[in-house]
Amino acid sequence: MIRVFLLIALFILPFLSISQSDRESAKSVVKVKAYYKGKDSNNQPKLILNTSTGWVWNSPQWIVTTLHSVAGVDQIEVCSVINNCSNARIVKVLREADLAIIKTDKNLGLRPLKSVYADPQSSKTYHIWGFPHSVHTIQGDEVKFSRTLGGFPRLIDILKRQKLKDQLD
């Protein structure tokens, strides 16, 4: 009986630690709310909301999101998974990568994600967290890499290009 319990525990424990890691990384994912002035169906002024996903990078107040989601907006608000929110502003733009680095006005107590290398040929299971299609709560989806013999467009390669290095400095 004890042997069976130990075998089950040894089988389940690695999965629990992976799950916990996923939960921890999800806490560094934020909803980015972008407001801009528009008009309603009666041609009256209206504040319009678009949402996207971002993640904490390098510092608790620095968020990476898509440039197209925040370019030209009147107000940016960042909300954590526990709905703690702060206004934010664009501090860096990486046009070639369609990325913007925004800084929150207040520290939301979020931890930056750790950068790790994942081989594009990996058969491991990975998860991506976000707020697709403006959903209210965070969603996690499994990511599977397609095998290929060609080159891979990786974010780290884009960020290492001299033009982007100059923009980040």
Side-chain angles (χ1 to χ4, degrees), residues 139-159:
Q139 308 267 320
D141 290 319
E142 189 174 308
V143 176
K144 292 184 180 183
F145 292 103
S146 297
R147 300 225 179 247
T148 179
L149 297 176
F152 314 105
R154 299 180 311 160
L155 181 59
I156 193 69
D157 294 333
I158 294 170
L159 292 174

Side-chain angles (χ1 to χ4, degrees), residues 73-117:
V73 301
D74 296 301
Q75 179 187 346
I76 301 170
E77 184 180 37
V78 171
C79 297
S80 69
V81 292
I82 59 169
N83 221 19
N84 195 7
C85 299
S86 172
N87 285 332
R89 62 183 172 14
I90 297 173
V91 291
K92 292 278 183 184
V93 169
L94 305 170
R95 288 182 189 182
E96 184 178 349
D98 187 35
L99 295 175
I101 300 172
I102 58 178
K103 184 176 182 186
T104 58
D105 292 346
K106 67 179 183 178
N107 187 335
L108 299 175
L110 303 170
R111 282 190 276 168
L113 285 176
K114 292 178 183 170
S115 179
V116 295
Y117 175 77

